[in-house]
Amino acid sequence: MGDLRPAFGNLRLRHLRMLELLGNTGTVRKTAKLLHLSEPAVSQMLKNVEEAFGGPLFIRTRRGLVPNSRFSVLLRRIRGALGELSAADTELAHSDVVHPKLRFGASLHILTHLFAPAIGRLRLDHPDWRFSLQEGSMHVLLNDLAEGNLDCVGGRMLPRNSTAFKMSDFEFWPIYSGELCLVVSVNHPLARRRRVALSELLREDWALSIADGRSRQLLQDAFLMAGFELPEPVVECRPFHVNLAVVSQSRLITVAMRAEALRGQRLGMHRILPVSVELDGPPMAIFFRKSALNDPVIAAVRDVLREVGNELNKTAGVTGRHRGNSHHQRAGPL
């Protein structure tokens, strides 16, 4: 942790709460009322904070205070700090014996196939640990991570410019290949073919992710590169597990994680189509705040998830360039 300015010594938690409220209300009067303080007291608190951070955080207008760009940067950190303190308070208040609790958010795929087996392994070495799991989209989960509502997040890497916050706020470790493939039911007419041309799929019906889903975007790019337009899907659903279930009982086609598709193929649930198409998506990774880089709980989770991910890659015979590795990387454009 870097050295703090001497001026920070005069700040208290109430200053952080005041800033958060002031950013929401835009007026000293409303903020003072919510904090049960006088307006001069809130004005003085704001002055103290702005002096501590070396400059104004709001633009003063006739209608009130408008947050400037410096405030936006500070607000992300404030919410993260308040979220961490709230989580610590919850853990300490529920028992005389404190159990470390990990708040983990992820896509359904990672929760089911990576984190579920990881919990069993983690509890062998840490039987007192507790876990809170949350499923959701990466945009929502990373926002919760930034605000301190989650400790780490697992999911597919996103381009830096695809989020409302800075990807540079996070650290990440690749844990699992992002390779995709096309899948049909065992009863589909194409299921027994040794080779299928992409042009043949223009006449087929599809079950795909929502329009802005990463797998659908990759598939659409592949079709465009071949000079085709991806057909509109008959079924749209974000979790590819649902689309796989639909496809296994219909004559639709979908795109899925190769490791998951291979598992289903071995069980006789569906078939991977032998189509020559490049669908090597971004890797699955675990994200955490930079402030948690040396947290032993995060380090243990990271290592176990990477171990499980490597086993799944090996079992699936995945050879994509995004296989999880042992080198630390920073989040950035893909």
Side-chain angles (χ1 to χ4, degrees):
M1 181 183 296
D3 294 334
L4 296 177
R5 297 182 188 178
F8 289 167
N10 296 322
L11 299 184
R12 301 291 184 267
L13 285 177
R14 61 182 180 177
H15 289 87
L16 303 185
R17 178 60 176 154
M18 178 274 298
L19 275 182
E20 185 180 36
L21 289 174
L22 202 53
N24 292 334
T25 65
T27 70
V28 170
R29 180 179 60 81
K30 292 180 180 179
T31 300
K33 185 176 181 180
L34 290 171
L35 292 174
H36 304 290
L37 296 172
S38 66
E39 292 183 33
V42 171
S43 296
Q44 183 60 47
M45 291 171 67
L46 176 58
K47 180 181 178 182
N48 293 340
V49 171
E50 290 185 322
E51 288 178 351
F53 286 99
L57 299 171
F58 294 89
I59 300 171
R60 273 71 174 174
T61 70
R62 291 183 178 180
R63 295 186 177 183
L65 301 174
V66 178
N68 62 21
S69 58
R70 300 178 75 252
F71 175 83
S72 299
V73 172
L74 182 58
L75 182 62
R76 292 200 310 273
R77 306 300 184 186
I78 288 174
R79 287 178 172 168
L82 292 176
E84 287 287 341
L85 289 169
S86 177
D89 179 60
T90 300
E91 288 186 35
L92 293 172
H94 280 74
S95 175
D96 293 333
V97 179
V98 178
H99 299 284
K101 184 176 183 179
L102 178 79
R103 301 165 301 161
F104 183 79
S107 62
L108 185 61
H109 173 77
I110 285 187
L111 286 178
T112 304
H113 297 289
L114 279 90
F115 206 75
I119 287 179
R121 301 187 190 190
L122 286 166
R123 283 185 56 79
L124 289 176
D125 294 326
H126 311 282
D128 60 329
W129 283 14
R130 301 292 184 267
F131 303 89
S132 175
L133 308 182
Q134 176 181 328
E135 190 274 336
S137 69
M138 282 299 290
H139 292 280
V140 172
L141 295 174
L142 287 175
N143 185 67
D144 283 343
L145 178 64
E147 295 188 357
N149 298 320
L150 291 172
D151 299 309
C152 55
V153 165
R156 192 181 295 280
M157 284 295 303
L158 298 172
R160 178 176 293 179
N161 61 2
S162 69
T163 59
F165 40 81
K166 293 183 178 180
M167 289 298 291
S168 58
D169 288 344
F170 308 117
E171 301 287 350
F172 81 93
W173 289 77
I175 54 174
Y176 189 35
S177 169
E179 193 172 336
L180 303 169
C181 63
L182 301 183
V183 179
V184 295
S185 75
V186 294
N187 297 317
H188 196 286
L190 298 176
R192 299 295 178 182
R193 293 272 295 277
R194 293 188 175 183
R195 182 177 299 177
V196 177
L198 194 62
S199 58
E200 295 180 78
L201 306 183
L202 297 174
R203 301 184 297 272
E204 300 296 328
D205 292 328
W206 293 77
L208 296 173
S209 173
I210 55 178
D212 62 350
R214 186 61 174 155
S215 62
R216 182 165 169 181
Q217 291 175 351
L218 286 168
L219 185 61
Q220 183 170 297
D221 290 345
F223 268 74
L224 290 175
M225 288 293 291
F228 306 126
E229 185 173 343
L230 179 66
E232 284 295 314
V234 174
V235 175
E236 285 185 314
C237 185
R238 184 172 64 84
F240 74 81
H241 295 79
V242 177
N243 291 328
L244 275 177
V246 170
V247 163
S248 67
Q249 302 175 69
S250 68
R251 290 185 57 172
L252 304 181
I253 303 177
T254 194
V255 59
M257 297 286 294
R258 177 169 292 277
E260 178 66 13
L262 281 168
R263 184 182 295 107
Q265 181 168 273
R266 293 189 186 104
L267 296 173
M269 299 170 60
H270 44 247
R271 291 282 187 276
I272 295 175
L273 282 181
V275 182
S276 179
V277 58
E278 184 71 23
L279 291 174
D280 191 10
M284 295 293 182
I286 177 173
F287 298 79
F288 50 93
R289 290 181 298 278
K290 286 184 175 180
S291 59
L293 184 59
N294 297 316
D295 186 329
V297 175
I298 298 297
V301 172
R302 176 200 67 207
D303 292 343
V304 170
L305 283 176
R306 192 166 56 201
E307 179 182 288
V308 174
N310 285 338
E311 290 174 3
L312 289 175
N313 281 333
K314 184 177 180 180
T315 300
V318 172
T319 58
R321 61 184 173 86
H322 291 310
R323 183 177 298 178
N325 57 62
S326 59
H327 300 289
H328 176 239
Q329 302 185 37
R330 293 184 180 275
L334 292 175

